[in-house]
Each structure stands twice: as C-alpha cells, then as structure tokens.
Amino acid sequence: MSAVWIPLANIFGILIAAVLLAALLTWGERRLLGFWQDRPGPNRVGPFGLLQVVADMIKLFFKEDFVPRFADIPVFVLAPTVVMATMLLGFAVIPVAPQIGVIDLNVGLLFFLAMSSIAVYSVMLGGYASNNKYALLGGLRAGAQTVSYEVFMGLSLMGVVMMSGSFNLREIVQAQTEGWFIIPQFVGFLVFFIAGIAESHRLPFDLPEAEHELTAGFHTEYSGMKFGMFFVGEYLSVILISSLITTLFLGGWLGPWLPPVVWFCLKTSFLVMLFILMRAALPRPRYDQLMQFGWKVMLPLALANLLLTGGILLWNQ
Amino acid sequence: MNTVFYLTATIAVLATAMVIFSRNAVHALLYLIISLLATAIIFYLLGAPFAAALEVIVYAGAIMVLMVFVIMMLNQGDAAVQQESQWLQPKSWFGPAVLAAVLLLQLILLLDSEAAANTQGAHAVGAREVGIALFSRYVLAVELASMLLMAGLVGAFHLARGKHTKSAERDHAI
C-alpha cells in the first residue's frame, strides 16, 4: 500500500508545490523589488498583498483567449505548453531530501540539461507562430541566446560531475558531505548561475522580450492563460535552476540542526532572491554584448575550469 | 516493456512519415523533434540512458534548434506551402516508395528470422562505458570526426566573415 502512496505523494507534492511557489513568486518578486526600490509593491489584496496572486489568476483566466487569425494556430497553441511541461518534468530529478524526490535517475543531471534545451522551443515556436515581426525577432534572439549559453551551461557542470564521479544528483549531494562544491568549483558556480539567468531569460538577459525595443518580444500576441503559461514557466525555471544550484554547489539538503527539507528550501529561496536582486540591480546589456560576453568570456572560463579540475583530480589520484 | 517499445516505435515511424508529408517546413521540423525524442526513449529502453540523454541534448535540443532557427529566419509563408504541395505529385514519389517498401519487407523478414530477442536483458551502458569506448577503441574515429568538425567550423567562419568592410562590421553588431 505505502509502496504506491509514497511515490504518488512525492509526485503530486512536488508538482503542486512547484506550481504554487511559481505563482507565489510573481507576488514575491514584486514585493522584493518594491522593498529594494523603496516603494511598497502590491500590498492591497489580503494580508501583505498575498492574495494579489489570486487576483492575477482570476484576471488571466477571464481574459479573452485571443488567437490572431494570421497565426500558425496549432503551433501557436502548442508553444506555451512546452515550457510548462519541460520545466515541471525537470523537477522530477531534483532530490529535495533523502526521502523526497520523484525519480532517482542515474543520468539526472543530463535529464535536466535535456529538459532545459527542449524548453527553448517554447519561445522560438511562440515567436514564429505569432507571425509578427517583434515576436519573430524575440524568438530568434531567444534561440541564439539559449543555444550559445547552453554550451557552457553544460560545461560548467562537468567540474562537479568529475569531482563526484556521477551524473546522479543524489550521489552528487552525498559527495558534498565533506564540503560544498561551491568552494572548489566557484568558477563553475558563477558560470552556471549566469548561464541559468540567460536560459530562463530573466532580466539582465531578457533580450528576447526587451520591451523597450520589441514590445513584448516572443509573447507579444499572447494573452489570457497562454501568456500565463509563459509567465509561470519563467518563474518555474527560476525555481528549478535555483534548486539545481542548491543541489550541485550548496550541498543540497545537507546542513546541521534543521531537518533536510528546511535546509533545501532555505538555500533555494536564498538563490531565488539572488535572481530577483540581480534583476533589480543590473541594467540590460546590448544584444551583441550579451553574445560576445557568452562566447569570449564565459566559454573560456568554463573550459579553463574544466581543464584545471581535471588536472588537479588526476594529480591527486 | 514490449508494449512501451512498440508504442514508441510506432510514434517514431509515424512522426518520421509526417516529416516527409508535412507541407509546412516548421511543422515538419516539429515532427522530426518528436521522432528524435521517441528514438531517445527507445535508447533508454534498450539500456543506454547516457545515449538517450545525449540524443535529446544534442539532436533534439541543439541541432534541431538551429534548423528551426534557420527556417524561422527565412520566414516562409503560404507561398512555400503551395509550392511544396505541387512537389508531392504521385509520379514523383511512387517509384521510391515501392523500392523502400521492398526494403521494409526484407527488414521485417530478417527481424522475424532472428527472433529479435537479443535486446532483452542487455546490461545498462552508462556514461563511463561510453567514455571508455570512445577514448580507447574508437579514439581514431573520434579524432577524425573532431578534425572534420574543426575544418567545417573554420570553413564556415571563413565563408561568413566576408571582406573586412564597414558593412561587415555593422552586420557583426546585429
């Protein structure tokens, strides 16, 4: 009996928690931005404005679900579902605590990379199917940006893989009992964090939807819940990347005194706050600066980190 | 396990057929992505999780993105769909289809005679085995492939670079 119930509880618990947290983050982000920018933020609906999420949801659900007649309709409908589906699937491999986690996959890390590389289609197809110049430009930018940053997103993680000798996320956490990987792999952490911002196209790198030049980029033509899926998908990817950084570099659930789940949540929410702080603090670069930074700074850094880690590991063998 | 395999294989075959029959290039590419994902699942079922993950990351996630990217940039409209529908006349696909059907028949006969039971119980091939095989037995092939890719990269760079003019500088900034 419990053999069926425990996995089911895990699956639905993580699924519901991920979606709820992503929805809540839409409020949390605006409150935190308000705090840093010395203004209240949304504080009218419910205690501390907490019910703002519900108000936004009601608004999104009741908006007209408009599909432009010049759009490529099947692709237009498919596009927003891709990001939601892949990001939620990505949560399947995250080990939240020793007993909590959906699947213990021996290629867990690669599974995450696969999901994040499939998620690009959402933005690209959304941009294409809208049949709109701004959306197309946004989609093209998203495609080029994500493909470039994916290269060293994978490379930056290989240092961790070499040190723990496994692609399995649980084994990677267990390999950090003597010390978190953020200390020996600080360069890898930095590169992965920056690549993570670019992958989820969050603010310093949100060129695909840069509103000052592209209206709203790839989701210009989207409204109602289709837009909502893009929106929630973005927050899901922020949470997913934060929890992955926690797992890979900050020792996952490991920590003294508190129960493992609490440690995991604390570290992840700290990283999510860091994501929001980056948004509040940094200006947007130009598109060519973004690409040059990727290929000319981050890629060599990731490669050098890989070479050094491999060399030191071989030396100590 | 067999049911999953046949289901996935059917999806792969149908999706690949749709790649050929779709008149819209982007729809065809979407079917090709589905076909690649199905192939990855088949790899996983046959006990090669590492190959499955690489199939998704490299083929479905990187190469196909570039193809979609190029098709998007060309931004073909209904005219291209019309043109495509003129190309698919029966007289142009009938001959190849017959030949391919004969090949398919041969394949089915071969599979039937082999009893096709070799795949069951194969041990899992992880990242370590793949890495060791690539860098010991197949190291020459790996190096040759990397040289070929390097030559392709340099060639592409040379072709795309053009002459050093002001317009090239401006194009670079886009």
Side-chain angles (χ1 to χ4, degrees):
Chain A
M1 196 64 172
S2 66
V4 181
W5 285 114
I6 290 175
L8 271 186
N10 264 327
I11 291 170
F12 285 101
I14 289 180
L15 194 68
I16 291 167
V19 176
L20 276 185
L21 282 175
L24 208 63
L25 196 57
T26 59
W27 165 81
E29 174 169 40
R30 281 184 281 169
R31 282 294 289 199
L32 279 173
L33 280 179
F35 173 69
W36 282 314
Q37 292 165 355
D38 212 6
R39 61 190 172 83
N43 63 352
R44 295 288 111 179
V45 199
F48 308 107
L50 246 175
L51 293 180
Q52 184 69 43
V53 182
V54 182
D56 286 347
M57 291 253 281
I58 292 171
K59 180 189 143 201
L60 275 180
F61 273 116
F62 284 94
K63 251 187 167 178
E64 186 191 356
D65 192 8
F66 181 70
V67 179
R69 83 193 139 67
F70 46 79
D72 184 344
I73 294 164
V75 182
F76 188 82
V77 177
L78 178 75
T81 59
V82 175
V83 68
M84 276 287 273
T86 49
M87 285 302 135
L88 284 174
L89 276 173
F91 276 100
V93 290
I94 300 289
V96 178
Q99 276 85 38
I100 304 177
V102 177
I103 182 173
D104 187 14
L105 200 63
N106 57 358
V107 285
L109 190 56
L110 294 175
F111 182 83
F112 160 77
L113 288 175
M115 285 305 123
S116 81
S117 61
I118 299 272
V120 196
Y121 287 116
S122 193
V123 177
M124 287 184 69
L125 294 176
Y128 154 77
S130 302
N131 211 350
N132 167 316
K133 288 188 187 66
Y134 294 120
L136 185 72
L137 283 173
L140 285 176
R141 279 184 177 185
Q145 168 179 334
T146 324
V147 167
S148 324
Y149 275 70
E150 224 160 52
V151 173
F152 48 84
M153 186 178 195
L155 278 178
S156 66
L157 296 180
M158 289 309 127
V160 171
V161 173
M162 280 199 280
M163 291 186 69
S164 60
S166 171
F167 284 114
N168 186 323
L169 290 173
R170 283 182 187 276
E171 284 173 23
I172 290 175
V173 172
Q174 259 136 25
Q176 297 178 69
T177 32
E178 277 118 59
W180 295 355
F181 282 151
I182 189 172
I183 299 160
Q185 284 295 320
F186 190 69
V187 180
F189 164 76
L190 271 186
V191 173
F192 183 71
F193 186 70
I194 293 171
I197 299 176
E199 280 278 316
S200 56
H201 17 89
R202 293 282 306 167
L203 197 81
F205 298 148
D206 73 337
L207 277 301
E209 43 189 302
E211 65 268 13
H212 63 283
E213 42 189 18
L214 291 184
T215 324
F218 60 90
H219 58 62
T220 308
E221 296 291 345
Y222 282 86
S223 65
M225 217 34 223
K226 291 202 189 73
F227 164 74
M229 279 167 106
F230 274 128
F231 198 56
V232 173
E234 187 181 311
Y235 285 102
L236 275 177
S237 75
V238 169
I239 300 177
L240 181 62
I241 285 168
S242 302
S243 51
L244 203 76
I245 294 177
T246 308
T247 310
L248 294 172
F249 296 101
L250 298 179
W253 66 74
L254 300 169
W257 310 306
L258 296 169
V261 191
V262 178
W263 268 116
F264 187 86
C265 295
L266 273 180
K267 291 172 189 171
T268 306
S269 42
F270 171 74
L271 284 166
V272 171
M273 274 174 59
L274 208 61
F275 262 95
I276 297 170
L277 183 60
M278 297 283 280
R279 169 181 178 170
L282 292 178
R284 194 185 275 142
R286 233 171 40 222
Y287 190 66
D288 61 316
Q289 291 171 331
L290 173 83
M291 296 303 264
Q292 288 210 354
F293 179 68
W295 286 108
K296 294 187 178 166
V297 180
M298 302 310 276
L299 183 67
L301 256 182
L303 283 175
N305 179 42
L306 194 66
L307 191 69
L308 261 179
T309 314
I312 291 170
L313 280 179
L314 271 182
W315 184 267
N316 287 339
Q317 234 176 25
Chain B
M1 218 48 159
N2 260 335
T3 335
V4 179
F5 173 79
Y6 284 118
L7 195 63
T8 323
T10 316
I11 292 173
V13 171
L14 284 182
T16 314
M18 286 307 290
V19 175
I20 302 166
F21 292 121
S22 291
R23 282 169 188 166
N24 186 321
V26 173
H27 293 185
L29 281 175
L30 284 180
Y31 278 114
L32 189 50
I33 295 162
I34 300 290
S35 159
L36 288 169
L37 291 181
T39 318
I41 293 178
I42 290 175
F43 270 130
Y44 190 83
L45 285 177
L46 295 180
F50 185 64
L54 285 191
E55 172 94 13
V56 179
I57 296 173
V58 176
Y59 284 93
I63 295 177
M64 293 311 295
V65 168
L66 292 181
M67 287 176 78
V68 174
F69 189 88
V70 172
I71 300 279
M72 266 171 69
M73 208 145 63
L74 300 178
N75 199 16
Q76 294 166 317
D78 293 333
V81 176
Q82 297 271 316
Q83 194 184 27
E84 190 85 1
S85 66
Q86 281 167 5
W87 283 346
L88 272 180
Q89 298 294 333
K91 69 170 190 284
S92 61
W93 59 257
F94 188 71
V98 169
L99 294 180
V102 174
L103 279 181
L104 182 68
L105 207 68
Q106 284 179 335
L107 183 69
I108 292 171
L109 285 176
L110 277 176
L111 283 178
D112 199 39
S113 63
E114 286 280 318
N118 306 337
T119 56
Q120 299 298 321
H123 80 293
V125 184
R128 199 179 300 270
E129 284 87 344
V130 175
I132 289 172
L134 279 182
F135 285 97
S136 59
R137 198 202 280 181
Y138 299 109
V139 68
L140 190 66
V142 171
E143 288 301 320
L144 283 176
S146 69
M147 276 157 76
L148 191 65
L149 287 177
M150 193 67 196
L153 190 67
V154 172
F157 180 72
H158 179 75
L159 287 177
R161 194 159 155 249
K163 297 183 196 82
H164 249 300
T165 54
K166 268 190 183 152
S167 76
E169 286 282 302
R170 202 175 61 233
D171 288 346
H172 189 64
I174 289 171

